[in-house]
Amino acid sequence: MDILSAFLTSIQSVWLDSGFASFTFGNFVMILVGLLLLYMAIGKEFEPLLLAPIAFGCIMANFPCTGFLEEPGVMKMINYGIQFEIFPPLIFLGVGAMTDFGPLLANPNTLFLGAAAQFGVFISLAGAMALGFTAQEASAIGIIGGADGPTAIYMASKMAPNLLGAIAVAAYSYMSLVPLIQPPIMKLMTSKEERAIKMEQLRNVTKFERLVFPVSAAIIISLLLPPVAALISMLMLGNLFRESGVTDRLSDTSQNALCNIVTIFLATGTGMTMSAEHFLTVQTIEIILLGLLAFAGGTAAGVLLGKVMCRLSGGKINPLIGSAGVSAVPMAARVSQMVGQKANPSNFLLMHAMGPNVAGVIGTAVAAGTMMAMLAK
Amino acid sequence: METQNPIVIMLINMTIVFAVLFVLSLYIRLIHKIDPTAKAAAAPKAAPKAAPAPKAAPAPVVEKGIADETVAAIAAALATMGVGFSRVKAIRVADRPQWGGAARTEGLTTLKMR
């Protein structure tokens, strides 16, 4: 009898210590959300490199009793990387090493398109404040409109850590949906003649310009907006590795190995913030809707300024490149190319669109820095 | 003074973003203006003195029966080895059957069975 009782007590103890005993309906729903995201990543190939680890992190975050974020361990370390803004600047190092600033340097007017696309950020900020979010939370929500995942996470970690999961998921989801969200807005706002405009070939950019720009831009922007100095400096350092011609190994590591490793940590860690108790709220739905508003607003504002520049230049600028001002690099530029080529098969807008696209990265970082300087507690 | 008015926050931030990127665009233009390498690249290079026309090298004597294509192939093979065709004095069929055997052996040893 004693043996049976001890056996039953042990079984009961194992059951009570297991995750099943503490498993909630919310955990179940979030695991389903994780599986859906995983399907979108693998089945539909929507940004799989980001969405797959986010989805798996989401599933892991809903295993009860793991103590992932309480006890020291790899999960806690990954969480530190997000909480203390370590990963976003490292991602920016890779982005800088991968990005050619040539189109921006050849046509600096495209910086204005990158600035105009930030309009969506501020529309969403106003919308979030109207819905009752604090100014700090609203600023972090608004930055989703910049379509820049690392900056959104950086901003959310600083300004609204409680909303990090929802903001990161909204930002990366919309980034992966750029080819679906942007074209209808672009077509709605332009005529076929405007979309068919062919742009002149860009001038050659010298090595001197390519070397001086990243160094001096890092100095100027970091002095002006210290809150984003880490992001901008790492972006420019990565670009310097790329352009110097003497640091090929560093450039290669930044672009590939390091960027991939940090992406795994950042994306998994982001998914790990999607536990049911933090994610299954009305606020999450509001954030996702506000993110869509921000994204659509940014695209529309970029195209609108593109139309103005088209008029001012006597029809030499295709307004479609304005939509690339949202900084999903290089996806947004590819969308400009795709829509332009549909209107005119001999149209090649990709390199022209890379100018506003890179400007968008800088513009989003500047917008984030400005809001942090203005609104941080 | 800390404002909580979303419109004011929006206007201030948009103004700053445009101002910063405007300054950056001016700065990019400045870099382009002061670029010393651009001037060097744009300056017309002094035309090199016209080299005296080389004397036409005597054409090699080609044995009767050798096709023009064969001569062209020999010239191309020599060019890939860095030997000018002008150094060739004559092209004739050599009576060396071992060349044919060597070619067959080479063909058989390097042939990949699929």
Side-chain angles (χ1 to χ4, degrees), chain A residues 109 122 129 206 208 216 370, chain B residues 4 10 13-14 27 29 35:
Chain A
N109 286 335
F122 301 112
M129 287 181 78
T206 63
F208 176 83
S216 48
T370 313
Chain B
Q4 292 292 317
M10 190 171 148
N13 279 282
M14 271 313 271
Y27 184 68
R29 287 187 172 87
D35 180 0

Side-chain angles (χ1 to χ4, degrees), chain A:
Chain A
M1 225 27 211
D2 282 350
I3 294 172
L4 185 64
S5 171
F7 182 74
L8 286 175
T9 308
S10 301
I11 293 286
Q12 192 183 21
S13 173
V14 168
W15 172 256
L16 289 176
D17 283 351
S18 78
F20 284 108
S22 312
F23 197 71
T24 63
F25 180 69
N27 292 138
F28 174 71
V29 172
M30 285 311 293
I31 287 180
L32 285 184
V33 169
L35 291 173
L36 176 71
L37 293 177
L38 212 52
Y39 168 72
M40 282 169 66
I42 298 168
K44 296 285 175 188
E45 293 189 26
F46 285 149
E47 293 270 340
L49 301 181
L50 292 167
L51 217 48
I54 288 178
F56 210 85
C58 169
I59 293 170
M60 286 198 290
N62 288 283
F63 300 153
C65 311
T66 53
F68 280 160
L69 301 182
E70 285 85 42
E71 293 158 21
V74 69
M75 298 307 176
K76 185 78 177 165
M77 289 304 294
I78 290 175
N79 187 251
Y80 270 133
I82 293 177
Q83 202 180 340
F84 295 102
E85 303 114 31
I86 295 166
F87 297 144
L90 290 175
I91 292 279
F92 261 48
L93 181 76
V95 171
M98 280 186 255
T99 307
D100 178 8
F101 282 0
L104 176 71
L105 297 173
N107 186 5
N109 286 335
T110 55
L111 274 163
F112 297 114
L113 296 171
Q118 306 313 313
F119 190 61
V121 171
F122 301 112
I123 293 176
S124 171
L125 177 140
M129 287 181 78
L131 284 174
F133 287 96
T134 64
Q136 288 76 22
E137 288 172 341
S139 64
I141 294 167
I143 214 76
I144 297 170
D148 191 338
T151 309
I153 289 173
Y154 189 79
M155 186 83 177
S157 311
K158 276 192 184 271
M159 305 290 272
N162 53 319
L163 303 178
L164 177 64
I167 289 172
V169 169
Y172 280 116
S173 304
Y174 291 131
M175 278 169 68
S176 62
L177 295 174
V178 163
L180 295 179
I181 297 172
Q182 284 196 317
I185 301 168
M186 294 158 79
K187 285 179 185 166
L188 192 72
M189 298 191 64
T190 51
S191 64
K192 192 169 181 209
E193 290 70 36
E194 285 173 327
R195 293 198 292 277
I197 291 173
K198 286 173 83 171
M199 291 180 68
E200 285 170 17
Q201 200 176 347
L202 294 167
R203 71 169 173 83
N204 280 331
V205 176
T206 63
K207 188 164 182 179
F208 176 83
E209 290 172 275
R210 289 178 184 274
L211 288 177
V212 171
F213 177 72
V215 178
S216 48
I219 295 170
I220 293 170
I221 300 174
S222 299
L223 287 177
L224 196 63
L225 295 165
V228 285
L231 283 180
I232 288 290
S233 301
M234 292 300 259
L235 178 77
M236 297 303 172
L237 175 64
N239 193 253
L240 190 67
F241 285 161
R242 173 196 172 91
E243 301 296 354
S244 70
V246 292
T247 51
D248 287 347
R249 281 166 50 194
L250 301 186
S251 172
D252 178 52
T253 303
S254 308
Q255 289 183 40
N256 300 300
L258 180 64
C259 196
N260 290 340
I261 290 168
V262 178
T263 300
I264 293 170
F265 290 159
L266 180 68
T268 311
T270 302
M272 293 284 293
T273 61
M274 293 169 69
S275 57
E277 62 268 27
H278 289 122
F279 202 81
L280 286 180
T281 61
V282 178
Q283 280 188 334
T284 302
I285 297 167
E286 288 173 347
I287 288 168
I288 288 173
L289 292 176
L290 286 165
L292 182 62
L293 174 74
F295 209 79
T299 303
V303 175
L304 205 62
L305 188 67
K307 281 169 79 86
V308 172
M309 288 172 76
C310 176
R311 287 276 166 86
L312 293 176
S313 65
K316 286 182 179 169
I317 291 178
N318 189 319
L320 290 179
I321 66 167
S323 67
V326 300
S327 48
V329 179
M331 187 85 84
R334 276 198 222 130
V335 171
S336 300
Q337 157 74 16
M338 192 182 73
V339 178
Q341 206 158 39
K342 269 192 185 164
N344 179 356
S346 64
N347 215 349
F348 291 96
L349 295 176
L350 187 64
M351 287 317 284
H352 299 284
M354 278 307 290
N357 212 188
V358 176
V361 177
I362 299 172
T364 306
V366 170
T370 313
M371 288 194 287
M372 277 190 246
M374 201 174 160
L375 301 170
K377 281 177 183 169

